[in-house]
Amino acid sequence: MLISRLLRGAYSVMADKFNVVFVLGGPGAGKGTQCAKIVEKFGFVHLSAGDLLREERAKPGSEYGELIENHIKNGTIVPVEITCSLLERAMKESGKNDFLIDGFPRNQNNLEGWNNQMGNKVNLKFVLFFNCPLEVCTQRCLDRGAAGSGRSDDNIESLKKRFDTYMNATMPIINHYEGQGLVHKMDASQGPDEIFAEVEKLFS
Ligand code: UP5
Ligand code: MG
């Protein structure tokens, strides 16, 4: 009796946690594109940390607007307190339980801040890593910029900085999760449908 009550208690604590899949990869690797497909087929909530920061930046009178814009243009990373609060708020407001968190955590500061603030509220299922050559990613972002994305970082100067940050700060985070056996690495240089054919196997 006691054991089954304890087990039920433990289960309800687990069930109360948010389920999270982190989606990482270089600029233009296709994180957003694949997340949209996962949402359509499997019903997760997609939260792009970059999109949340851009929304916050666009709010009239935002306390952090200028700081966020400077980081985005320079390809550097916004302090975790800001990003993590935006993510947690969006998770709570969604009323849902299963999340794709796209483009986060990107550096050691993000990882530590997330673990402190969210570690015991979240069940990290795995990390989806879109691996794509720099030249392919660069071309995708430049094409998107030329097509009128309006993103202040879809230009060659910002892209160089975004890649430096990705290689120096984000790859060590991916390697950290790899060491925990949590990373699923995808070849993201193919077409969107070919990539999704691999991705969906993980969610099925
Ligand atoms: N495209 C997509 N897939 C394709 C495919 N398979 N074949 C051909 N084309 C493909 O795709 C990019 C473009 O490529 C699109 O035009 C798409 O149609 C095409 P997308 O799906 O948008 O790729 P994604 O990986 O999401 O690229 P994104 O540019 O969003 O990646 P970033 O990681 O650079 O951008 P993000 O918005 O996450 O971050 C921007 C900045 O915000 C960061 O540099 C940083 O300054 C800041 N930031 C933080 O500080 N902290 C955070 O936690 C997050 C962001
Ligand atoms: Mg994106």
Side-chain angles (χ1 to χ4, degrees):
M1 272 297 277
L2 178 63
I3 288 178
S4 77
R5 251 205 327 266
L6 282 173
L7 282 175
R8 262 205 313 277
Y11 177 75
S12 76
V13 170
M14 288 284 287
D16 285 337
K17 287 190 176 188
F18 296 123
N19 294 315
V20 164
V21 173
F22 285 139
V23 182
L24 294 173
K31 302 182 292 294
T33 302
Q34 293 300 318
C35 283
K37 290 175 177 291
I38 298 165
V39 167
E40 200 181 314
K41 186 141 189 192
F42 299 101
F44 278 63
V45 176
H46 172 211
L47 296 176
S48 156
D51 286 349
L52 289 170
L53 289 166
R54 283 183 285 274
E55 264 169 41
E56 177 63 29
R57 176 192 61 183
K59 280 187 190 154
S62 164
E63 190 184 343
Y64 302 116
E66 203 180 319
L67 179 147
I68 293 172
E69 175 55 15
N70 286 335
H71 280 290
I72 288 181
K73 238 205 250 152
N74 288 311
T76 50
I77 297 170
V78 172
V80 69
E81 292 74 15
I82 298 175
T83 317
C84 203
S85 304
L86 292 173
L87 285 167
E88 185 174 12
R89 189 170 70 196
M91 289 165 87
K92 285 183 176 156
E93 282 177 3
S94 76
K96 300 279 171 52
N97 237 62
D98 299 317
F99 298 92
L100 302 168
I101 298 192
D102 158 1
F104 180 93
R106 291 173 108 94
N107 66 1
Q108 189 62 27
N109 166 264
N110 279 182
L111 180 66
E112 286 168 12
W114 171 266
N115 285 342
N116 289 339
Q117 189 173 331
M118 301 300 288
N120 57 7
K121 301 176 194 168
V122 157
N123 173 26
L124 177 61
K125 311 280 280 180
F126 56 87
V127 177
L128 192 48
F129 168 34
F130 291 111
N131 188 39
C132 194
L134 181 150
E135 307 74 46
V136 176
C137 288
T138 303
Q139 198 53 52
R140 287 181 188 170
C141 291
L142 290 177
D143 289 349
R144 182 175 59 185
S149 69
R151 277 182 56 157
S152 59
D153 59 351
D154 277 345
N155 57 75
I156 197 71
E157 295 76 30
S158 294
L159 275 162
K160 281 185 187 143
K161 296 173 186 167
R162 288 161 72 188
F163 273 105
D164 280 351
T165 304
Y166 170 62
M167 292 308 293
N168 297 324
T170 310
M171 274 313 297
I173 304 304
I174 296 169
N175 292 336
H176 159 82
Y177 285 123
E178 176 82 59
Q180 298 184 352
L182 285 169
V183 172
H184 292 281
K185 184 172 171 177
M186 300 286 149
D187 173 5
S189 63
Q190 315 167 79
D193 293 339
E194 283 77 26
I195 301 168
F196 189 64
E198 292 303 311
V199 168
E200 68 179 335
K201 291 180 191 161
L202 288 173
F203 290 85
S204 296

